[in-house]
Amino acid sequence: TLAAGTYYIGAIADYANVRGESDETNNILAGNQISIVAPDLVMTTISGPTTGSVANSISLVNTVTNQGAGTAASFNVGFYFSTDPIITTADLGVGARALSTLASGAASTATTAITIPNALAPGTYYIGAIADYTNARAESSETNNSLAGNQINIVNSDLVMTAVSGPATGSVGNAISLSNTVTNQGTGTAASFFVGLYFSTDTTITTAD
């Protein structure tokens, strides 16, 4: 959290005053000056596909650059979906990637896989990224870390059972075969799921059967 600037390096003998001394006024010494510099992390690219399906994975191409004078220690880049092009940590976080260090003037590009949240409402969102989204590193500027990329249209699946049938008779403890067809009539790809098969005393099929 140290602010960038020029400082004197100093030392104090017995700084906690745990020892009595014949002279308590000569414990301090100033040494040379040190110039403290800070990184400045900015997102220079963020992009992804223009369409995606709920609960499915997409890849985000992203570049973070350190345009400051100091090396950035370990930090994370956060990825977001936003309804507007102003990307903040209040937007929906959808993933992150970690960097161990980034030297002054260096850039790091990666393709990061993220999964679109299952509960995300279909619609159009901006893909965004924020460098050091947890504010782990002090920077010379903390106002230029976010970037909005392209828009993505999020679609959803719609699963319906279009056929289910079996034999007219069966014996307790014995196997039967049930023919069943499930159809996705939505616009999005359905991620992995199960079809449950039931016996019911009426035509209203529920998970209570």
Side-chain angles (χ1 to χ4, degrees):
T1 58
L2 183 64
T6 302
Y7 298 84
Y8 285 92
I9 299 172
I12 303 176
D14 190 29
Y15 75 98
N17 287 321
V18 297
R19 297 291 167 253
E21 302 179 53
S22 57
D23 186 347
E24 295 283 5
T25 64
N26 58 359
N27 292 31
I28 300 170
L29 181 66
N32 61 283
Q33 286 183 305
I34 182 172
S35 178
I36 302 298
V37 294
D40 185 18
L41 301 170
V42 295
M43 296 304 305
T44 45
T45 63
I46 176 64
S47 64
T50 55
T51 60
S53 299
V54 167
N56 285 270
S57 178
I58 60 172
S59 293
L60 304 181
V61 178
N62 56 96
T63 303
V64 57
T65 300
N66 181 3
Q67 64 183 18
T71 296
S74 59
F75 66 95
N76 296 315
V77 172
F79 303 105
Y80 296 86
F81 283 169
S82 175
T83 55
D84 57 57
I86 308 301
I87 309 300
T88 73
T89 54
D91 291 318
L92 176 64
V94 293
R97 77 169 172 114
L99 289 90
S100 59
T101 187
L102 192 62
S104 172
S108 173
T109 300
T111 300
T112 307
I114 63 102
T115 299
I116 299 171
N118 189 59
L120 184 64
T124 301
Y125 299 86
Y126 286 90
I127 298 171
I130 302 177
D132 189 32
Y133 75 101
T134 60
N135 286 322
R137 299 293 161 241
E139 303 178 54
S140 56
S141 174
E142 298 284 2
T143 63
N144 58 0
N145 291 33
S146 63
L147 180 68
N150 60 281
Q151 289 181 302
I152 183 171
N153 183 36
I154 302 298
V155 293
N156 209 343
S157 57
D158 184 15
L159 302 172
V160 295
M161 295 305 304
T162 48
V164 61
S165 62
T169 60
S171 300
V172 170
N174 287 274
I176 59 171
S177 294
L178 303 183
S179 174
N180 58 95
T181 303
V182 58
T183 300
N184 179 4
Q185 65 182 17
T187 54
T189 298
S192 61
F193 66 96
F194 291 94
V195 171
L197 303 170
Y198 296 84
F199 282 169
S200 175
T201 57
D202 55 50
T203 57
T204 303
I205 310 301
T206 73
T207 55
D209 290 320

